[in-house]
Amino acid sequence: MELKEIARKIRVDIIEMLEASQSGHPGGSLSAVEILTALYFKEMNIDPANPKSEDRDRFVLSKGHGTPVLYGTLAERGFFPKEELKSFRKLGSMLQGHPDMKEIPGVDMTTGSLGQGLAAANGMALAGKLNNKDYRVYAVIGDGECQEGLIWEAAMLSAHYKLDNITVFLDYNGLQIDGPNKEIMNIDPIDEKFKAFGWNVLTIDGHSIDEIIRSIGEAKETKDKPTIIIAKTSKGKGISFMENQVGWHGKAPSAEEAQKALEELGGAK
């Protein structure tokens, strides 16, 4: 199946999941679809039949509220049955609002408190170096999340220990729960800041799967430096009435809105 079609199906999963639960975060989930599609269906060394393999590549969703895109991707990849998605955010379900590494096959790190994911990814990458493992560590952080001091403490550590086995995607959609980043707390020039912290910095169109794959290849070739890929994205990407609308940061669609969204995506699966 083509990666673009997989991305479309994950967007359908996101809409259906949130409509069923009447809870969750569509905007920042839809913006990261192509990133996770490229990682899970093209790049990462993973095996849904053996999700705890010591040699697997690791993934950390630092912006833990973006679970709809992670759950949709894991289900499409075969880590658990797609029927589980219908239980999203419901009492007793393993698929809660933030990912739980103890309950969900394929989840490598429990996240939720913003800013902590990069530090956890550092630990995985450093352990890989110390144990002479060849696995790579990938993480997705949010742009609003870069207002957290812990991100910069972790960024210093990544460069200090020359963690060239870690690749971080910054899902840069420009919006956070209270409004545009530039008005809440401007993080720019974000590329110059990461360069100053000793990182290899790439900037791409975060919805171009070709650019995502190419940039991952460049990251793999970079030695003695961690790489951050600043992925310029659109919040709510793919749904006309959600796109670049801050109001869709953490609001579930009604049945009517979900139907309209699914029609725009070419219908349910």
Side-chain angles (χ1 to χ4, degrees):
M1 188 184 303
E2 290 188 0
L3 295 180
K4 286 184 178 179
E5 173 59 12
I6 294 171
R8 186 194 73 83
K9 293 178 70 173
I10 293 171
R11 284 196 164 89
V12 168
D13 289 334
I14 291 170
I15 296 300
E16 292 184 334
M17 218 182 309
L18 269 66
E19 195 274 329
S21 69
Q22 281 302 290
S23 178
H25 296 75
S29 297
L30 292 164
S31 66
V33 169
E34 281 77 13
I35 296 170
L36 268 70
T37 298
L39 286 173
Y40 278 87
F41 290 87
K42 176 66 177 178
E43 292 295 338
M44 289 175 63
N45 175 31
I46 49 175
D47 180 3
N50 189 13
K52 294 295 185 183
S53 167
E54 289 188 5
D55 295 323
R56 73 189 187 283
D57 289 339
R58 272 72 165 172
F59 176 79
V60 177
L61 181 66
S62 188
K63 43 178 248 175
H65 56 280
T67 44
V69 66
L70 178 59
Y71 295 163
T73 302
L74 290 173
E76 287 289 345
R77 191 66 175 82
F79 281 90
F80 52 79
K82 294 197 71 172
E83 288 71 22
E84 288 286 340
L85 298 177
K86 298 175 182 175
S87 70
F88 175 59
R89 282 197 172 216
K90 293 182 178 174
L91 190 63
S93 170
M94 69 176 183
L95 303 182
Q96 290 302 305
H98 292 87
D100 184 345
M101 61 187 291
K102 293 183 178 178
E103 298 290 337
I104 309 171
V107 171
D108 292 316
M109 186 64 204
T110 300
T111 55
S113 297
L114 294 176
Q116 295 183 347
L118 181 52
N122 276 342
M124 296 175 185
L126 187 56
K129 291 275 188 182
L130 293 172
N131 292 322
N132 295 314
K133 295 288 188 179
D134 292 329
Y135 67 74
R136 298 190 63 80
V137 181
Y138 297 92
V140 170
I141 64 175
D143 46 9
E145 192 177 11
C146 288
Q147 297 159 350
E148 301 279 350
L150 182 51
I151 287 287
W152 301 103
E153 294 177 48
M156 275 191 289
L157 185 143
S158 315
H160 179 80
Y161 287 104
K162 300 180 179 179
L163 299 179
D164 53 13
N165 56 346
I166 187 170
T167 300
V168 174
F169 281 90
L170 170 56
D171 181 9
Y172 195 169
N173 57 47
L175 298 174
Q176 58 190 99
I177 190 169
D178 291 322
N181 303 150
K182 291 182 185 301
E183 295 178 10
I184 305 301
M185 181 66 74
N186 193 6
I187 62 172
D188 286 329
I190 194 69
D191 54 345
E192 294 299 328
K193 288 173 181 169
F194 271 98
K195 286 177 184 175
F197 274 68
W199 285 61
N200 175 45
V201 180
L202 306 172
T203 301
I204 65 167
D205 174 351
H207 296 303
S208 168
I209 292 176
D210 289 341
E211 285 195 36
I212 293 168
I213 293 172
R214 176 183 53 76
S215 64
I216 293 172
E218 289 186 34
K220 288 178 177 176
E221 295 298 319
T222 300
K223 302 301 180 188
D224 297 330
K225 282 186 173 183
T227 292
I228 184 163
I229 299 169
I230 301 173
K232 297 292 185 68
T233 61
S234 298
K235 201 151 188 160
K237 178 69 175 178
I239 313 297
S240 63
F241 58 91
M242 291 185 180
E243 207 160 321
N244 295 315
Q245 299 298 314
V246 71
W248 286 101
H249 176 91
K251 184 179 74 170
S254 66
E256 184 180 59
E257 290 166 336
Q259 182 60 37
K260 182 179 179 183
L262 292 175
E263 289 172 1
E264 290 189 10
L265 292 171
K269 298 176 289 295

